[in-house]
């Protein structure tokens, strides 16, 4: 309602919330870690811990608002790499802030707080880079297109890796490629041409890529002969 009544775009609304959160994250992290480190060495005061917990709670409210803004943006225009990574970053930060709050109450040493946070960052980064992000984005956007009848940005999907191909199978099963607009058909063809080029360029077993092979087989079995 706020967006429509004030003539604000979803993009501007979401970005404003996200960059505000990033600025608050930087300031809050500096304050909390400095004070936490100082009081870990010189003793703790309940009043200071209470103030820091209130600060963390306030940042949590800002984080929840930023996530809500971004979810509205994604609901309107679908997933992209930047939108998805931004959302995951905000979730990770809120979890870190919750861990800091628990550490304050449990009187965890600063060294352990730092090491656990660093280890969590490494684990999360490993998980994120292990996720097939392009396929996840394509699958969600195709589902929105078929179930909710929302626009599918095939031009954007054509800029991603060939991992998007298996997620495009419903396009042929439900929508049929022949009903797509000309620019969407061109984008779809570019996706397939790129996949075929990647498949044929891999001439030895050392160059084998499971994602490309899977996508190529999906193209042969599902989309074969549909695009002319």
């Amino acid at each position: 309602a706020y967006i429509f009544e004030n003539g604000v775009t979803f993009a501007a609304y979401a970005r404003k919330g996200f960059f505000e959160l990033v600025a608050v994250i930087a300031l809050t992290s500096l304050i909390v870690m400095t004070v936490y480190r100082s009081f870990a060495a010189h003793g703790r005061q309940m009043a200071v811990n209470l103030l820091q917990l209130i600060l963390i709670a306030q940042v949590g409210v800002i984080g929840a608002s930023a996530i809500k803004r971004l979810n509205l943006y994604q609901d309107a225009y679908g997933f992209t790499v930047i939108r998805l990574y931004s959302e995951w970053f905000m979730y990770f930060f809120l979890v870190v802030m919750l861990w800091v709050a628990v550490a304050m109450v449990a009187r965890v040493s600063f060294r352990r707080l730092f090491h656990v946070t660093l280890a969590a960052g490494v684990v999360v980064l490993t998980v994120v880079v292990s996720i097939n992000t392009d396929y996840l984005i394509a699958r969600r956007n195709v589902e929105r297109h078929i179930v909710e009848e929302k626009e599918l940005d095939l031009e954007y999907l054509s800029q991603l890796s060939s991992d998007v191909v298996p997620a495009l199978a419903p396009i042929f099963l439900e929508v049929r490629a022949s009903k797509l607009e000309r620019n969407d058909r061109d984008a779809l063809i570019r996706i397939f041409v790129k996949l075929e080029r990647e498949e044929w360029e891999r001439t030895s077993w050392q160059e084998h890529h499971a994602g490309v092979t899977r996508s190529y087989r999906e193209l042969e079995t599902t989309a074969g002969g549909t695009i002319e």
Side-chain angles (χ1 to χ4, degrees), residues 107-118:
R107 296 180 177 274
V108 175
S109 67
F110 179 80
R111 181 184 296 272
R112 176 170 295 181
L113 171 69
F114 178 78
H115 287 166
V116 171
T117 303
L118 183 62

Side-chain angles (χ1 to χ4, degrees), residues 109-158:
S109 67
F110 179 80
R111 181 184 296 272
R112 176 170 295 181
L113 171 69
F114 178 78
H115 287 166
V116 171
T117 303
L118 183 62
V122 172
V123 170
V124 169
L125 182 61
T126 303
V127 171
V128 168
V129 299
S130 301
I131 295 174
N132 191 339
T133 308
D134 290 354
Y135 172 76
L136 183 64
I137 291 170
R139 186 184 66 181
R140 173 54 183 155
N141 288 350
V142 169
E143 288 176 353
R144 292 174 66 257
H145 178 63
I146 294 176
V147 178
E148 304 174 25
E149 298 184 351
K150 294 186 177 181
E151 183 178 356
L152 177 63
D153 191 352
L154 283 169
E155 181 65 33
Y156 174 75
L157 294 183
S158 69

